[in-house]
């Protein structure tokens, strides 16, 4: 957390002008919450050699994964609820959402600080505890950016008729369910591997079972979405994408949790795909094509 400045004594420097204090606070906050696009903890360890940590280190790893998942889900709900309210003709106070988002990110950092030491995180290939905290916040931010660009950006800046608003509401709620199930599945197997010894074959079998479970959850949610979003309405709102395609893309976010907050190489976030309408990793935009001249170039950078 950022320490608050203390009052100066008789020999202290002159206080900063209020405007300067505001700029300094904004700069410090941006430094605190900025996380580079590259994998923060360097080269992940092969899953065959990752795990079986001392109990305290395994508990720290569990805290890192849980903090990242909770932060991502909470900040996604904040944005989703605000945007859906706007689509229904209500009010979306973006300043309130931003304040709540920042508070959630700080809480996630505090959760890691409370359960981890530098020695423990170094056993798991992080440089230090601060680096683990940065990975948590980076995943938290990128989840909301990916989901928002795919599910909310195509329908923002307008008030939708009730059937269309209900469709968006159902899609975004189903996304929340998929995140919860996917994150939980990946966390359970990696937290088990972190604390116990398994053969490489057993680890691969656990990953395969988790992948199948996430796919089954996505299929079940597809029927849920279809009940509220007839195919023509869904296609009109989401530019000809099917609900199956959208849910499949969202399911990859579970792997991002595992890849970014567990320093193992068996489950990783898939590479960004420019043109899939979902902003990922280093992308600045993704309008569904790779044609330049429309504000988003062929590599998904703003023009």
């Amino acid at each position: 957390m950022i320490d608050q400045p203390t009052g100066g004594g008789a020999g202290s420097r002159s206080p900063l002008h209020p405007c300067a204090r505001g700029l300094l606070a904004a700069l410090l906050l941006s430094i605190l919450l900025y996380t580079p696009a590259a994998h923060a903890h360097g080269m992940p360890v092969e899953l065959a050699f990752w795990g079986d940590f001392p109990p305290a280190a395994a508990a720290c790893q569990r805290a890192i994964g849980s903090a990242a998942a909770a932060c991502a889900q909470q900040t996604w709900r904040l944005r989703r609820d605000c945007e859906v309210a706007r689509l229904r003709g209500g009010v979306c106070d973006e300043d309130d959402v931003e304040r709540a988002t920042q508070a959630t990110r700080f809480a996630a950092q505090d959760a890691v600080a409370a359960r981890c030491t530098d020695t423990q995180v170094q056993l798991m290939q992080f440089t230090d505890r601060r680096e683990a905290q940065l990975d948590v916040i980076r995943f938290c931010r990128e989840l909301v950016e990916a989901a928002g660009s795919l599910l909310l950006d195509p329908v923002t800046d307008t008030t939708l008729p009730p059937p269309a608003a209900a469709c968006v509401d159902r899609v975004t709620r189903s996304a929340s369910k998929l995140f919860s199930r996917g994150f939980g599945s990946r966390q359970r197997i990696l937290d088990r591997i972190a604390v116990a010894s398994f053969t490489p074959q057993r680890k691969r079998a656990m990953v395969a079972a988790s992948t199948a479970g996430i796919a089954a959850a996505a299929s079940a949610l597809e029927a849920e979405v279809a009940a509220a979003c007839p195919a023509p309405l869904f296609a009109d709102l989401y530019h000809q994408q099917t609900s199956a395609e959208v849910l499949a893309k969202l399911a990859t976010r579970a792997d991002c949790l595992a890849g970014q907050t567990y320093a193992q190489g068996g489950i990783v976030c898939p590479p960004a795909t420019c043109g899939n309408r979902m902003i990922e990793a280093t992308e600045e935009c993704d309008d569904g094509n790779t044609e330049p001249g429309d504000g988003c170039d062929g590599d998904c950078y703003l023009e």
Side-chain angles (χ1 to χ4, degrees):
M1 303 290 286
I2 299 176
D3 294 331
Q4 297 297 320
T6 56
S12 64
R13 296 179 180 177
S14 300
L16 291 172
H17 187 277
C19 291
R21 286 201 301 271
L23 288 172
L24 179 60
L27 176 61
L28 289 174
L29 185 60
S30 67
I31 293 172
L32 180 67
L33 295 180
Y34 170 75
T35 53
H39 198 76
H41 43 61
M43 183 65 68
V45 176
E46 287 295 325
L47 188 60
F49 305 104
W50 185 89
D52 196 12
F53 301 117
C60 165
Q61 176 64 85
R62 184 166 58 252
I64 293 170
S66 296
C71 178
Q73 292 177 86
Q74 290 168 16
T75 54
W76 164 243
R77 282 195 295 269
L78 286 167
R79 181 177 176 191
R80 178 200 72 194
D81 291 349
C82 191
E83 294 293 348
V84 169
R86 194 201 322 264
L87 294 174
R88 292 183 182 276
V91 176
C92 172
D93 191 325
E94 294 182 1
D95 290 337
D96 281 350
V97 171
E98 180 61 23
R99 282 190 291 269
T101 295
Q102 300 289 19
T104 300
R105 291 174 177 172
F106 280 129
Q109 290 182 312
D110 289 344
V112 174
R115 296 298 301 273
C116 297
T117 66
D118 283 344
T119 300
Q120 289 163 358
V121 298
Q122 285 164 0
L123 286 173
M124 297 171 293
Q125 303 302 308
F126 295 95
T127 300
D128 53 26
R129 186 173 59 181
R130 180 65 185 141
E131 200 164 56
Q133 291 174 307
L134 290 177
D135 268 10
V136 166
I137 300 306
R138 180 165 59 92
F139 169 76
C140 183
R141 185 185 67 242
E142 289 182 358
L143 180 282
V144 177
E145 189 170 54
S149 61
L150 185 64
L151 303 182
L152 294 172
D153 288 355
V155 294
T156 53
D157 301 325
T158 184
T159 298
L160 296 177
C167 174
V168 174
D169 184 53
R170 171 46 54 202
V171 171
T172 55
R173 290 183 183 278
S174 294
S176 296
K177 291 181 181 180
L178 185 56
F179 294 149
S180 179
R181 295 173 190 177
F183 296 162
S185 178
R186 290 316 200 200
Q187 283 178 265
R188 281 190 294 273
I189 63 167
L190 290 173
D191 289 343
R192 286 181 63 196
I193 294 171
V195 77
S197 178
F198 295 97
T199 66
Q201 293 82 356
R202 177 57 178 154
K203 292 178 182 179
R204 288 193 292 269
M206 293 164 72
V207 171
S210 171
T211 300
I214 295 171
S219 296
L221 290 170
E222 184 183 348
E224 183 178 279
V225 170
C229 300
L233 174 59
F234 189 93
D236 183 55
L237 288 169
Y238 291 106
H239 309 288
Q240 304 304 312
Q241 296 186 90
T242 67
S243 59
E245 291 173 323
V246 168
L247 290 168
K249 292 174 185 177
L250 293 174
T252 66
R253 298 298 98 189
D255 287 348
C256 289
L257 172 72
Q260 291 184 4
T261 60
Y262 293 79
Q264 48 70 46
I267 311 174
V268 298
C269 188
T273 302
C274 186
N276 68 354
R277 298 189 183 279
M278 184 164 65
I279 298 176
E280 306 163 284
T282 59
E283 293 179 343
E284 296 177 347
C285 57
D286 196 322
D287 58 0
N289 64 68
T290 56
E291 298 298 323
D294 57 1
C296 186
D297 70 17
D299 295 316
C300 284
Y301 289 96
L302 293 171
E303 293 179 320

